[in-house]
Amino acid sequence: MLRSYIASLALITGLLTGSTLGQTFANNVTGISGTWSTGSGHVRTGLGFFNPITKNFTMPSTSGTSYSFTDDGFFETSTFTYKSNPQVNRCFTAALSWQHGKFTFNANNSLSLSPFPADGFVQVISPCAGQTVQMFHYSQFELIPMWNIYTDPHPGFQSGGGSAYAMTLYNDGGNGQAGAAKNVMWLVERPPAMLPTEQLYQEVLNSVGAEGSGDAKS
Ligand SMILES: *[C@@H]1O[C@H](CO)[C@@H](O)[C@H](O)[C@H]1NC(C)=O
Ligand SMILES: *[C@@H]1O[C@H](CO)[C@@H](O)[C@H](O)[C@H]1NC(C)=O
Ligand SMILES: *[C@@H]1O[C@H](CO)[C@@H](O)[C@H](O)[C@H]1NC(C)=O
């Protein structure tokens, strides 16, 4: 169930992403460190989104994605997706995911994001399903074949003018080649808003280890 859910999330994400393949790595105008967020910027990394001690998520007011990076090679990601049910309003499906770990700049300008598998979680909320709230371990390695940072003169998240740094990450289109662009993210905090960057937990319980697509915990 989780696997097909994640597959459909990937599909939704793919449909929402624009095609901005024209931008190149040469557009990098500032460092990668900071917290980057899509859209209205409501989804952010850090304690406001996920509390790793209580393992509680706080649902943001709008869906979105956030990536944070440090100068010393750590990353954190938060995603919140929301799928309404046009037939029955109360039967939405929401998913919140959080993970963190280490990233490396590869020789071919790609980025590798390697999460700490024991720390990541995804929570799926579907009020009309038998079990309305489910938590799973979540650990998704990600290769970002291409990425670029540029100055956006008209950032979508603010109407009052003023430019902002924007970042486009690309999905792995297969064989490490750049595929579709992810939704553009804007720099919303620097230094980044992140939870402690070290690994917090030691073991993954009941790991099923299926390509990191989310290991059932309970
Ligand atoms: C991007 O550019 C900034 C500013 O010139 C630099 O500090 C940073 O290292 C660059 N990042 C990469 C990956 O080249
Ligand atoms: C965590 O979530 C549960 C269920 O929503 C809630 O009862 C509990 O108060 C939350 N704990 C904290 C610390 O927010
Ligand atoms: C770029 O480097 C990464 C890491 O070594 C590798 O996984 C990826 O396949 C490479 N991309 C291409 C197009 O060869």
Short mmCIF file of all heavy atoms in Angstrom, two decimals, residues 46-87:
data_model
loop_
_atom_site.label_atom_id
_atom_site.label_comp_id
_atom_site.label_asym_id
_atom_site.label_seq_id
_atom_site.Cartn_x
_atom_site.Cartn_y
_atom_site.Cartn_z
N GLY A 46 13.28 21.03 9.93
CA GLY A 46 13.44 21.48 11.31
C GLY A 46 12.33 21.02 12.23
O GLY A 46 11.39 20.34 11.83
N LEU A 47 12.44 21.46 13.46
CA LEU A 47 11.55 21.00 14.53
C LEU A 47 10.09 21.38 14.30
O LEU A 47 9.18 20.70 14.78
CB LEU A 47 12.05 21.58 15.86
CG LEU A 47 11.48 21.01 17.15
CD1 LEU A 47 11.72 19.51 17.24
CD2 LEU A 47 12.11 21.72 18.35
N GLY A 48 9.86 22.45 13.57
CA GLY A 48 8.48 22.86 13.31
C GLY A 48 7.71 21.87 12.45
O GLY A 48 6.49 21.89 12.41
N PHE A 49 8.44 20.98 11.78
CA PHE A 49 7.80 20.01 10.91
C PHE A 49 7.77 18.62 11.54
O PHE A 49 6.79 17.90 11.48
CB PHE A 49 8.54 19.95 9.57
CG PHE A 49 7.92 19.03 8.56
CD1 PHE A 49 6.79 19.43 7.84
CD2 PHE A 49 8.45 17.77 8.31
CE1 PHE A 49 6.21 18.59 6.90
CE2 PHE A 49 7.86 16.92 7.38
CZ PHE A 49 6.74 17.33 6.68
N PHE A 50 8.89 18.23 12.12
CA PHE A 50 9.00 16.88 12.67
C PHE A 50 9.77 16.90 13.97
O PHE A 50 10.84 17.51 14.06
CB PHE A 50 9.69 15.95 11.67
CG PHE A 50 9.83 14.53 12.15
CD1 PHE A 50 8.69 13.76 12.37
CD2 PHE A 50 11.07 13.96 12.39
CE1 PHE A 50 8.80 12.44 12.82
CE2 PHE A 50 11.19 12.65 12.84
CZ PHE A 50 10.05 11.89 13.05
N ASN A 51 9.21 16.24 14.98
CA ASN A 51 9.90 16.10 16.25
C ASN A 51 10.38 14.65 16.36
O ASN A 51 9.58 13.74 16.53
CB ASN A 51 8.93 16.43 17.39
CG ASN A 51 9.62 16.33 18.74
OD1 ASN A 51 10.56 15.55 18.93
ND2 ASN A 51 9.14 17.11 19.70
N PRO A 52 11.68 14.42 16.22
CA PRO A 52 12.18 13.04 16.19
C PRO A 52 12.10 12.34 17.54
O PRO A 52 12.18 11.11 17.59
CB PRO A 52 13.63 13.20 15.73
CG PRO A 52 14.01 14.58 16.08
CD PRO A 52 12.75 15.41 16.05
N ILE A 53 11.95 13.08 18.61
CA ILE A 53 11.85 12.45 19.93
C ILE A 53 10.44 11.88 20.13
O ILE A 53 10.26 10.71 20.48
CB ILE A 53 12.18 13.46 21.06
CG1 ILE A 53 13.53 14.15 20.80
CG2 ILE A 53 12.16 12.77 22.42
CD1 ILE A 53 14.72 13.23 20.69
N THR A 54 9.42 12.72 19.87
CA THR A 54 8.04 12.25 20.01
C THR A 54 7.56 11.58 18.73
O THR A 54 6.49 10.99 18.69
CB THR A 54 7.08 13.42 20.32
OG1 THR A 54 7.15 14.36 19.23
CG2 THR A 54 7.48 14.13 21.59
N LYS A 55 8.34 11.69 17.67
CA LYS A 55 7.98 11.19 16.34
C LYS A 55 6.64 11.77 15.90
O LYS A 55 5.78 11.08 15.36
CB LYS A 55 7.98 9.67 16.31
CG LYS A 55 9.35 9.10 16.68
CD LYS A 55 9.52 7.66 16.27
CE LYS A 55 10.97 7.22 16.40
NZ LYS A 55 11.27 6.42 17.55
N ASN A 56 6.49 13.05 16.14
CA ASN A 56 5.28 13.76 15.74
C ASN A 56 5.55 14.69 14.57
O ASN A 56 6.51 15.46 14.60
CB ASN A 56 4.75 14.60 16.90
CG ASN A 56 3.65 13.88 17.64
OD1 ASN A 56 3.55 12.67 17.59
ND2 ASN A 56 2.81 14.64 18.32
N PHE A 57 4.65 14.66 13.62
CA PHE A 57 4.69 15.63 12.54
C PHE A 57 3.71 16.75 12.86
O PHE A 57 2.67 16.53 13.49
CB PHE A 57 4.24 14.99 11.22
CG PHE A 57 5.27 14.13 10.56
CD1 PHE A 57 5.30 12.75 10.79
CD2 PHE A 57 6.20 14.69 9.70
CE1 PHE A 57 6.25 11.95 10.16
CE2 PHE A 57 7.14 13.89 9.07
CZ PHE A 57 7.17 12.52 9.29
N THR A 58 4.01 17.94 12.41
CA THR A 58 3.07 19.05 12.47
C THR A 58 2.67 19.35 11.03
O THR A 58 3.52 19.66 10.20
CB THR A 58 3.73 20.29 13.10
OG1 THR A 58 4.22 19.93 14.38
CG2 THR A 58 2.74 21.43 13.22
N MET A 59 1.38 19.22 10.74
CA MET A 59 0.94 19.38 9.36
C MET A 59 0.97 20.86 8.96
O MET A 59 0.33 21.68 9.60
CB MET A 59 -0.48 18.83 9.20
CG MET A 59 -0.78 18.44 7.77
SD MET A 59 -2.48 17.89 7.51
CE MET A 59 -2.48 16.32 8.33
N PRO A 60 1.75 21.20 7.92
CA PRO A 60 1.79 22.60 7.48
C PRO A 60 0.45 23.00 6.84
O PRO A 60 -0.37 22.15 6.53
CB PRO A 60 2.90 22.61 6.43
CG PRO A 60 3.63 21.32 6.60
CD PRO A 60 2.62 20.35 7.13
N SER A 61 0.26 24.30 6.63
CA SER A 61 -1.02 24.76 6.10
C SER A 61 -1.15 24.50 4.60
O SER A 61 -2.27 24.48 4.08
CB SER A 61 -1.22 26.24 6.42
OG SER A 61 -0.12 26.99 5.99
N THR A 62 -0.04 24.34 3.90
CA THR A 62 -0.12 23.98 2.48
C THR A 62 0.93 22.92 2.18
O THR A 62 1.91 22.79 2.90
CB THR A 62 0.13 25.20 1.55
OG1 THR A 62 1.37 25.79 1.92
CG2 THR A 62 -0.98 26.22 1.66
N SER A 63 0.72 22.19 1.10
CA SER A 63 1.67 21.14 0.75
C SER A 63 2.94 21.75 0.15
O SER A 63 2.95 22.91 -0.27
CB SER A 63 1.02 20.16 -0.23
OG SER A 63 0.59 20.85 -1.38
N GLY A 64 3.98 20.96 0.11
CA GLY A 64 5.23 21.46 -0.44
C GLY A 64 6.40 20.58 -0.05
O GLY A 64 6.23 19.50 0.53
N THR A 65 7.58 21.07 -0.39
CA THR A 65 8.81 20.33 -0.16
C THR A 65 9.88 21.30 0.34
O THR A 65 9.90 22.45 -0.08
CB THR A 65 9.31 19.73 -1.49
OG1 THR A 65 8.30 18.89 -2.03
CG2 THR A 65 10.57 18.91 -1.30
N SER A 66 10.72 20.80 1.21
CA SER A 66 11.85 21.61 1.66
C SER A 66 13.11 20.76 1.70
O SER A 66 13.06 19.59 2.09
CB SER A 66 11.56 22.17 3.05
OG SER A 66 12.64 22.94 3.53
N TYR A 67 14.21 21.33 1.26
CA TYR A 67 15.52 20.71 1.39
C TYR A 67 16.41 21.70 2.13
O TYR A 67 16.38 22.90 1.82
CB TYR A 67 16.17 20.47 0.02
CG TYR A 67 15.67 19.27 -0.76
CD1 TYR A 67 14.41 19.27 -1.34
CD2 TYR A 67 16.49 18.15 -0.93
CE1 TYR A 67 13.98 18.18 -2.08
CE2 TYR A 67 16.06 17.05 -1.67
CZ TYR A 67 14.81 17.07 -2.24
OH TYR A 67 14.37 16.00 -2.97
N SER A 68 17.19 21.19 3.07
CA SER A 68 18.21 22.02 3.71
C SER A 68 19.57 21.36 3.53
O SER A 68 19.68 20.12 3.50
CB SER A 68 17.95 22.18 5.20
OG SER A 68 16.91 23.10 5.44
N PHE A 69 20.59 22.20 3.41
CA PHE A 69 21.96 21.71 3.27
C PHE A 69 22.87 22.52 4.18
O PHE A 69 22.64 23.71 4.38
CB PHE A 69 22.45 21.89 1.83
CG PHE A 69 21.64 21.16 0.80
CD1 PHE A 69 20.59 21.79 0.14
CD2 PHE A 69 21.92 19.83 0.47
CE1 PHE A 69 19.84 21.12 -0.82
CE2 PHE A 69 21.17 19.16 -0.49
CZ PHE A 69 20.13 19.80 -1.13
N THR A 70 23.88 21.86 4.72
CA THR A 70 24.90 22.57 5.48
C THR A 70 26.18 22.62 4.65
O THR A 70 26.35 21.85 3.70
CB THR A 70 25.23 21.88 6.81
OG1 THR A 70 25.85 20.62 6.53
CG2 THR A 70 23.98 21.66 7.66
N ASP A 71 27.06 23.50 5.04
CA ASP A 71 28.36 23.59 4.36
C ASP A 71 29.22 22.36 4.64
O ASP A 71 30.16 22.10 3.90
CB ASP A 71 29.11 24.84 4.84
CG ASP A 71 28.56 26.10 4.18
OD1 ASP A 71 28.20 26.04 2.99
OD2 ASP A 71 28.50 27.14 4.86
N ASP A 72 28.92 21.63 5.72
CA ASP A 72 29.77 20.48 6.05
C ASP A 72 29.13 19.14 5.66
O ASP A 72 29.44 18.11 6.25
CB ASP A 72 30.19 20.51 7.52
CG ASP A 72 28.99 20.49 8.49
OD1 ASP A 72 27.85 20.68 8.03
OD2 ASP A 72 29.22 20.27 9.69
N GLY A 73 28.25 19.17 4.66
CA GLY A 73 27.84 17.91 4.06
C GLY A 73 26.64 17.20 4.64
O GLY A 73 26.49 15.99 4.44
N PHE A 74 25.76 17.92 5.34
CA PHE A 74 24.55 17.28 5.84
C PHE A 74 23.32 17.88 5.15
O PHE A 74 23.32 19.05 4.77
CB PHE A 74 24.42 17.48 7.36
CG PHE A 74 25.49 16.76 8.14
CD1 PHE A 74 26.64 17.42 8.54
CD2 PHE A 74 25.35 15.40 8.44
CE1 PHE A 74 27.64 16.75 9.24
CE2 PHE A 74 26.34 14.73 9.14
CZ PHE A 74 27.50 15.40 9.54
N PHE A 75 22.31 17.03 5.01
CA PHE A 75 21.06 17.52 4.40
C PHE A 75 19.88 17.06 5.24
O PHE A 75 19.99 16.15 6.09
CB PHE A 75 20.91 16.99 2.96
CG PHE A 75 20.38 15.58 2.90
CD1 PHE A 75 19.03 15.33 2.72
CD2 PHE A 75 21.23 14.49 3.08
CE1 PHE A 75 18.52 14.03 2.70
CE2 PHE A 75 20.74 13.19 3.07
CZ PHE A 75 19.39 12.96 2.88
N GLU A 76 18.75 17.67 4.99
CA GLU A 76 17.48 17.28 5.63
C GLU A 76 16.37 17.60 4.64
O GLU A 76 16.46 18.61 3.92
CB GLU A 76 17.30 18.09 6.93
CG GLU A 76 16.07 17.74 7.73
CD GLU A 76 16.01 18.51 9.07
OE1 GLU A 76 17.06 18.79 9.68
OE2 GLU A 76 14.89 18.84 9.48
N THR A 77 15.36 16.74 4.55
CA THR A 77 14.24 17.03 3.65
C THR A 77 12.92 16.82 4.38
O THR A 77 12.78 15.94 5.23
CB THR A 77 14.23 16.11 2.40
OG1 THR A 77 14.08 14.75 2.80
CG2 THR A 77 15.50 16.25 1.59
N SER A 78 11.95 17.63 4.01
CA SER A 78 10.57 17.51 4.50
C SER A 78 9.66 17.58 3.29
O SER A 78 9.86 18.43 2.42
CB SER A 78 10.20 18.69 5.42
OG SER A 78 10.99 18.70 6.58
N THR A 79 8.66 16.70 3.24
CA THR A 79 7.67 16.83 2.18
C THR A 79 6.28 16.66 2.79
O THR A 79 6.08 15.89 3.73
CB THR A 79 7.82 15.77 1.06
OG1 THR A 79 7.49 14.49 1.58
CG2 THR A 79 9.21 15.74 0.49
N PHE A 80 5.35 17.38 2.24
CA PHE A 80 3.95 17.24 2.64
C PHE A 80 3.12 17.23 1.37
O PHE A 80 3.14 18.18 0.60
CB PHE A 80 3.54 18.41 3.55
CG PHE A 80 2.06 18.46 3.85
CD1 PHE A 80 1.34 17.30 4.15
CD2 PHE A 80 1.38 19.66 3.83
CE1 PHE A 80 -0.01 17.35 4.42
CE2 PHE A 80 0.02 19.72 4.10
CZ PHE A 80 -0.68 18.56 4.39
N THR A 81 2.45 16.12 1.13
CA THR A 81 1.57 16.03 -0.03
C THR A 81 0.15 15.81 0.46
O THR A 81 -0.08 15.20 1.51
CB THR A 81 1.96 14.87 -0.96
OG1 THR A 81 1.90 13.65 -0.23
CG2 THR A 81 3.34 15.06 -1.54
N TYR A 82 -0.76 16.30 -0.30
CA TYR A 82 -2.16 16.27 0.10
C TYR A 82 -2.98 15.96 -1.14
O TYR A 82 -2.84 16.63 -2.16
CB TYR A 82 -2.55 17.63 0.68
CG TYR A 82 -3.96 17.68 1.21
CD1 TYR A 82 -4.22 17.40 2.55
CD2 TYR A 82 -5.03 18.00 0.38
CE1 TYR A 82 -5.51 17.46 3.05
CE2 TYR A 82 -6.32 18.06 0.87
CZ TYR A 82 -6.56 17.77 2.21
OH TYR A 82 -7.82 17.82 2.70
N LYS A 83 -3.80 14.93 -1.06
CA LYS A 83 -4.63 14.55 -2.19
C LYS A 83 -6.08 14.55 -1.72
O LYS A 83 -6.45 13.79 -0.83
CB LYS A 83 -4.22 13.16 -2.67
CG LYS A 83 -4.62 12.85 -4.09
CD LYS A 83 -3.86 11.64 -4.63
CE LYS A 83 -4.04 10.39 -3.79
NZ LYS A 83 -3.62 9.17 -4.50
N SER A 84 -6.88 15.43 -2.28
CA SER A 84 -8.28 15.48 -1.85
C SER A 84 -9.07 14.43 -2.61
O SER A 84 -8.64 13.91 -3.63
CB SER A 84 -8.85 16.87 -2.10
OG SER A 84 -8.77 17.18 -3.47
N ASN A 85 -10.24 14.14 -2.07
CA ASN A 85 -11.14 13.20 -2.73
C ASN A 85 -12.37 14.00 -3.16
O ASN A 85 -13.15 14.44 -2.33
CB ASN A 85 -11.53 12.10 -1.74
CG ASN A 85 -12.49 11.10 -2.34
OD1 ASN A 85 -13.30 11.43 -3.21
ND2 ASN A 85 -12.40 9.86 -1.89
N PRO A 86 -12.52 14.23 -4.47
CA PRO A 86 -13.61 15.10 -4.94
C PRO A 86 -14.99 14.56 -4.57
O PRO A 86 -15.94 15.33 -4.44
CB PRO A 86 -13.43 15.10 -6.46
CG PRO A 86 -12.12 14.48 -6.73
CD PRO A 86 -11.74 13.65 -5.55
N GLN A 87 -15.10 13.25 -4.39
CA GLN A 87 -16.41 12.67 -4.06
C GLN A 87 -16.77 12.88 -2.59
O GLN A 87 -17.89 13.20 -2.26
CB GLN A 87 -16.43 11.15 -4.37
CG GLN A 87 -16.82 10.83 -5.80
CD GLN A 87 -15.70 11.11 -6.77
OE1 GLN A 87 -14.56 10.72 -6.53
NE2 GLN A 87 -15.97 11.81 -7.86
#
